[in-house]
Amino acid sequence: MTKIDIFSGFLGAGKTTLIKKLLDEAFKGEKLVLIENEFGEIGIDGGFLKDAGVEITEMNSGCICCSLVGDFDKALVEVLDKFTPDRIIIEPSGVGKLSDVIKAVQNVIDRDDVELNSLVTVADATKCKMYMKNFGEFFNNQVEAAKTIVLSRSQNMSEEKLLQTVKLIKEHNADATVVTTPWEQISGKQILEAMEQTRSLVDELMGEEKVCGCGHDHGHDHHHEHGESCGCGHDHDHEHHHDHEEGCGCGHDHDHDHHHEHGEGCGCGHDHDHDHHHADDVFTSWGVETPHKFETEEMKEILDKLANTTEYGTILRAKGIVPNVNGEWIYYDLVPGEYELRTGTPEVIGRLCVIGTNIDKEALGTLFHVV
């Protein structure tokens, strides 16, 4: 019997980090296959998970909403027949709708040798309110369709702020199991137990004719884990970044009630009054390969602009691997207002990926010296 676990989560929530923790602490000894779908031209996280001995099937041709229904059915059947794994981990794009992924899996799930084991959404606890207001069609769908919601970066919040975040989540999904304890304080096995406690709910869902139907709509991603620095020279372990009533650092106020209410714009240039957009109607990705060598300070300046201004568009996620002038390689991760730099193993060529709304691709090319 092959178990299927779906790990959803908005851009930069920490899906890959959680999967790695489970690989290290809960899934050892199992034959695993990971199916991931990146939104964008350049896949960054595949090599990271290959190091853990996981087979990678990357589908970078389009957003998950568009490609899953067609290509995914065939890919999933092929994986089942070719590898006969104990477990398949599905990691959708951060801008994919979890309900769409579930429907795609249901097209294959009637086989006797497959069971849908868990539906997990990873949510950045410090950004839930902002993302609900700005990109609710996608963020809320991931929360509402999940059976387990694992909060990341809860260690960066006071108890009061965390309670407010859980309350917001429960307003969208009262039945889900919510994991609030910081990941470094609990084991992967404990998280897996929380995921599988909801199996009866998953079984109930599988018996329904339709999934959710509510019409609502959410690499390493271990940036800013407890005790780590983001590399930008600032202390991000306080609640002044992205908590309730706070800005995201991009120069705009994302948290007042006059922003992004139902029927109003999110600032991305699209009308979100109807909850049936595809990710590629709303989000834009820019991805390139480059041999250009960067200095560490230069990369910090670039990422600071992307994280804290709207000069190049509303940047929701950036990640990449580029050569350093000193012979090392720079790995970086970015979400609004925050980023992390670290060194890593060399790649065959540098890769850059930026995701957001109203992205100025030409300006990004100039910024990264690729035009």
Side-chain angles (χ1 to χ4, degrees):
M1 178 68 70
T2 297
K3 295 180 178 180
I4 295 180
D5 298 288
I6 303 174
F7 289 84
S8 184
F10 201 65
L11 297 163
K15 297 187 300 294
T16 303
T17 301
L18 178 60
I19 290 171
K20 185 176 186 300
K21 181 177 178 68
L22 292 169
L23 290 173
D24 291 340
E25 302 175 12
F27 297 151
K28 282 191 174 181
E30 295 186 13
K31 187 177 182 182
L32 280 152
V33 171
L34 171 73
I35 299 178
E36 62 178 7
N37 175 248
E38 293 281 1
F39 179 82
E41 293 86 349
I42 303 293
I44 301 293
D45 292 328
F48 161 59
L49 288 160
K50 282 178 183 174
D51 291 341
V54 180
E55 297 285 348
I56 304 294
T57 300
E58 289 185 298
M59 296 174 290
N60 292 326
S61 57
C63 75
I64 202 158
C65 308
C66 304
S67 64
L68 257 185
V69 176
D71 298 341
F72 183 75
D73 299 0
K74 181 179 178 181
L76 185 55
V77 170
E78 182 180 344
V79 165
L80 286 166
D81 293 339
K82 181 177 180 179
F83 298 107
T84 58
D86 299 315
R87 188 184 303 269
I88 294 175
I89 297 172
I90 299 173
E91 182 185 6
S93 160
V95 294
K97 296 178 182 178
L98 179 54
S99 59
D100 288 346
V101 185
I102 296 169
K103 289 174 185 176
V105 173
Q106 283 183 311
N107 291 336
V108 181
I109 207 72
D110 57 358
R111 294 170 49 141
D112 293 335
D113 59 344
V114 182
E115 63 175 347
L116 184 55
N117 186 55
S118 64
L119 307 173
V120 181
T121 288
V122 184
D124 184 334
T126 68
K127 295 181 174 63
C128 283
K129 185 174 182 179
M130 183 179 71
Y131 286 155
M132 282 180 178
K133 285 193 171 185
N134 284 269
F135 302 101
E137 179 181 351
F138 298 89
F139 184 87
N140 293 348
N141 177 275
Q142 294 191 9
V143 170
E144 290 161 358
K147 296 305 176 185
T148 307
I149 298 170
V150 182
L151 295 182
S152 62
R153 304 185 62 245
S154 59
Q155 73 273 13
N156 293 339
M157 308 178 74
S158 67
E159 181 178 342
E160 179 184 2
K161 297 289 188 181
L162 184 58
L163 286 170
Q164 291 174 4
T165 296
V166 172
K167 183 175 182 290
L168 282 173
I169 289 171
K170 288 294 187 179
E171 287 174 358
H172 288 272
N173 189 336
D175 297 325
T177 298
V178 181
V179 177
T180 62
T181 304
W183 299 356
E184 67 271 16
Q185 297 180 17
I186 54 177
S187 69
K189 288 184 178 180
Q190 287 175 289
I191 296 174
L192 179 60
E193 287 172 2
M195 291 162 46
E196 295 188 334
Q197 281 176 357
T198 58
R199 282 280 300 280
S200 60
L201 293 174
V202 175
D203 293 340
E204 179 183 336
L205 178 144
M206 291 304 299
E208 297 174 0
E209 292 184 2
K210 294 183 179 180
V211 176
C212 186
C214 62
H216 295 290
D217 291 287
H218 112 134
H220 318 313
D221 286 335
H222 64 266
H223 47 281
H224 317 311
E225 295 297 330
H226 188 64
E228 294 187 16
S229 168
C230 77
C232 66
H234 298 285
D235 179 9
H236 291 298
D237 200 32
H238 301 294
E239 295 158 21
H240 62 267
H241 56 284
H242 311 314
D243 282 351
H244 300 324
E245 290 83 51
E246 301 279 348
C248 79
C250 68
H252 292 283
D253 177 4
H254 294 296
D255 213 20
H256 292 323
D257 289 338
H258 64 266
H259 273 326
H260 318 309
E261 295 298 329
H262 188 67
E264 296 188 23
C266 76
C268 67
H270 296 279
D271 177 9
H272 295 297
D273 194 36
H274 304 291
D275 292 341
H276 55 259
H277 295 88
H278 285 172
D280 53 4
D281 293 332
V282 179
F283 304 97
T284 304
S285 68
W286 176 83
V288 297
E289 295 182 338
T290 177
H292 182 78
K293 296 180 180 179
F294 294 82
E295 293 184 358
T296 301
E297 289 303 317
E298 176 190 18
M299 184 57 70
K300 288 181 180 179
E301 292 176 4
I302 290 172
L303 296 179
D304 190 66
K305 289 180 180 179
L306 297 184
N308 296 306
T309 78
T310 55
E311 184 177 349
Y312 301 89
T314 301
I315 309 302
L316 297 170
R317 187 78 171 100
K319 56 185 176 180
I321 308 164
V322 293
N324 195 328
V325 292
N326 65 10
E328 297 177 338
W329 280 70
I330 299 172
Y331 284 60
Y332 68 85
D333 288 290
L334 177 149
V335 291
E338 305 170 30
Y339 61 88
E340 177 194 30
L341 287 175
R342 60 191 180 277
T343 58
T345 57
E347 288 287 335
V348 294
I349 191 171
R351 288 176 289 167
L352 308 164
C353 183
V354 178
I355 302 173
T357 61
N358 289 334
I359 287 179
D360 188 335
K361 294 185 178 183
E362 184 176 347
L364 283 174
T366 301
L367 181 69
F368 282 100
H369 308 287
V370 295
V371 293

